Amino acid sequence: STVVLVFQAPVSRSPKNQGSSEFSFCTRKGDRIRVGEALGR
Amino acid sequence: SSSSQGNSFLVPGATVATILMLGALHARRLYDDKKVEDAREKGLEFEFHPDVKATFLQLLPLRSISRYWGLLTSVEIPVWLRPYVYRAWARAFHSNLEEAAMPLDEYATLRDFFVRSLKEGSRPIDPDPRCLVSPVDGIILRFGELKAAGAMIEQVKGFSYSVSSLLGANSLLPMITEETTHAESSELENTPKDQSNKSWWRVSLASPKVWDPVASSPMKGLFYCVIYLKPGDYHRIHSPIDWNVLVRRHFSGRLFPVNERATRTIRNLYVENERVVLEGQWQEGFMGIAAIGATNIGSIELFIEPELRTNRPRKKFFHSEPPEERIYEPEGVGVMLKKGDEMAAFNMG
């Protein structure tokens, strides 16, 4: 079976404050993941 | 007397037949997986390519087969036989039996075992409040940001499906407008010092109080992640973050397999298949989760709505049948879930 997650999260488009609070995944394609482990921050 | 003797062999006979069938299926799967793995190691990514087997699958009564499989796995197994059957399952599909919450002989049927909960503490939840966690055990197939209007998610190289067809025509999904997209891309290309053109500049001129890219709170992007659960994985679905579930949408659909092969041979696989979509809001905006069934795992149970039944017999199959929708009360607030809460489960048949 499969689960698809679609969600809104902050992105920072201005080069000036890039990275300040933008969402980014902390996983890779093909990774094994378990319930409760971080997908992104 | 011969018929009564036949009866006493029914359950063990059916169990042995099932195990043999699983064994044959598993051997074939291992062979296929090996081929795909070799290709992947060589850096090859299979492209979308429908084939005869996929066409043949479309002719099969997969929902009925799935329900029959559910009936078969609902047959109560004798207590003495249960540990052997579940250990065989665990060996075949690489399940971790140590995590099962109950002793093996307390799972009366394979179906009960399949939807087992885990021992306390087996799945610690990442405590970082800014962290979004995985709702399931599985393999990350795809993830990223949806940028273009008419947001599409790649099913496999060469074929994509639209997010709105997956979530439903009246999804709460925020629209990504061309303007936004343009503004975003122009902003990336044009640093603030380049003031010459582009709609982004026009917006800031026309309403400087509405949007100042330097001082305003971060914009919102739309992200997605696709996770595949193998048959041996833990099949309960947990909440990825603190959120309010506002609406549930049930699409009664096909039940194609969703393995790697199916993703590259069956068009719109996730949009065609039976699925349950939960939508709502979290602190950063929209949150949507689609749980998609498959032939062997055709049932999706919601702990927040126990009475929902999926994979029901239907007289006719209308492709464009609208989903059955339910708004959770109180409207606008819905059901509140905490990160890590159990919220749903897949089951066999």
Side-chain angles (χ1 to χ4, degrees):
Chain A
S1 23
T2 304
V3 166
V4 179
L5 219 60
V6 179
F7 57 95
Q8 263 185 310
V11 290
S12 174
R13 294 288 181 223
S14 151
K16 255 208 180 32
N17 57 11
Q18 196 115 38
S20 59
S21 62
E22 64 181 49
F23 177 82
S24 61
F25 285 98
C26 54
T27 181
R28 287 174 315 178
K29 190 174 166 184
D31 272 5
R32 252 205 86 68
I33 195 159
R34 300 189 342 165
V35 165
E37 290 176 354
L39 264 181
R41 298 180 199 277
Chain B
S1 62
S2 61
S3 65
S4 61
Q5 188 186 8
N7 275 346
S8 63
F9 282 98
L10 181 63
V11 170
T15 308
V16 169
T18 305
I19 290 174
L20 287 174
M21 184 185 72
L22 282 176
L25 279 174
H26 188 60
R28 175 56 195 261
R29 179 184 299 245
L30 285 175
Y31 171 70
D32 282 346
D33 283 354
K34 189 77 179 64
K35 270 197 319 182
V36 168
E37 208 48 48
D38 291 346
R40 189 172 287 138
E41 273 162 18
K42 289 180 190 132
L44 291 176
E45 187 175 349
F46 288 99
E47 287 214 7
F48 181 77
H49 183 65
D51 62 4
V52 171
K53 187 175 174 185
T55 312
F56 174 68
L57 270 180
Q58 311 216 6
L59 303 172
L60 288 180
L62 293 175
R63 288 172 61 85
S64 305
I65 291 171
S66 177
R67 280 196 296 280
Y68 177 72
W69 171 244
L71 279 177
L72 199 61
T73 52
S74 301
V75 170
E76 187 156 344
I77 302 171
V79 175
W80 64 272
L81 188 56
R82 292 172 190 178
Y84 298 101
V85 170
Y86 302 146
R87 281 201 197 95
W89 173 277
R91 204 170 301 115
F93 296 106
H94 312 294
S95 296
N96 180 350
L97 288 180
E98 299 309 311
E99 297 179 329
M102 296 193 308
L104 293 182
D105 56 11
E106 290 189 23
Y107 296 103
T109 66
L110 188 56
R111 229 171 163 267
D112 292 342
F113 170 72
F114 184 80
V115 79
R116 66 192 176 283
S117 57
L118 301 183
K119 283 191 178 79
E120 196 63 34
S122 300
R123 293 292 180 274
I125 306 298
D126 190 311
D128 179 351
R130 299 168 307 148
C131 171
L132 200 114
V133 299
S134 176
V136 288
D137 281 19
I139 294 175
I140 306 283
L141 289 187
R142 299 190 179 283
F143 65 89
E145 186 179 354
L146 299 165
K147 295 225 172 150
M152 305 292 279
I153 298 178
E154 194 178 66
Q155 179 178 308
V156 72
K157 204 164 109 185
F159 182 81
S160 298
Y161 56 95
S162 81
V163 172
S164 60
S165 52
L166 175 75
L167 299 181
N170 50 13
S171 162
L172 305 178
L173 186 70
M175 285 304 288
I176 303 174
T177 60
E178 200 56 39
E179 184 75 11
T180 315
T181 312
H182 187 72
E184 287 170 12
S185 54
S186 61
E187 189 186 301
L188 271 178
E189 288 151 302
N190 300 305
T191 58
K193 57 183 178 301
D194 172 8
Q195 306 293 335
S196 56
N197 54 21
K198 303 280 184 265
S199 57
W200 164 78
W201 177 247
R202 200 173 48 249
V203 165
S204 63
L205 262 183
S207 50
K209 289 190 185 56
V210 169
W211 186 42
D212 170 352
V214 173
S216 68
S217 63
M219 286 185 63
K220 296 286 175 29
L222 203 57
F223 293 84
Y224 72 92
C225 182
V226 182
I227 304 172
Y228 169 69
L229 294 84
K230 285 190 166 182
D233 282 340
Y234 166 60
H235 267 74
R236 291 191 176 214
I237 305 172
H238 293 244
S239 175
I241 200 74
D242 294 357
W243 68 306
N244 290 61
V245 186
L246 300 177
V247 63
R248 177 270 296 155
R249 217 162 285 123
H250 168 212
F251 296 79
S252 184
R254 312 296 291 267
L255 278 174
F256 295 118
V258 288
N259 53 32
E260 199 275 332
R261 174 182 223 288
T263 58
R264 52 192 169 77
T265 56
I266 299 175
R267 190 177 302 277
N268 271 330
L269 179 61
Y270 302 140
V271 174
E272 291 276 345
N273 265 20
E274 178 106 0
R275 64 195 180 282
V276 172
V277 171
L278 295 176
E279 286 190 346
Q281 288 286 323
W282 71 302
Q283 68 180 30
E284 296 300 339
F286 173 79
M287 171 64 74
I289 300 178
I292 302 162
T295 315
N296 53 352
I297 302 165
S299 290
I300 298 144
E301 299 160 4
L302 291 184
F303 298 143
I304 59 173
E305 189 187 341
E307 63 277 14
L308 176 70
R309 287 286 170 276
T310 61
N311 193 8
R312 297 291 103 217
R314 281 177 317 180
K315 291 188 186 54
K316 283 229 177 5
F317 178 66
F318 295 106
H319 188 66
S320 57
E321 193 179 322
E324 188 236 336
E325 188 166 285
R326 174 174 171 178
I327 308 281
Y328 288 128
E329 298 297 333
E331 193 163 342
V333 174
V335 176
M336 290 182 70
L337 288 177
K338 288 280 176 209
K339 184 161 77 168
D341 283 355
E342 270 187 11
M343 60 181 201
F346 289 106
N347 210 338
M348 290 182 176

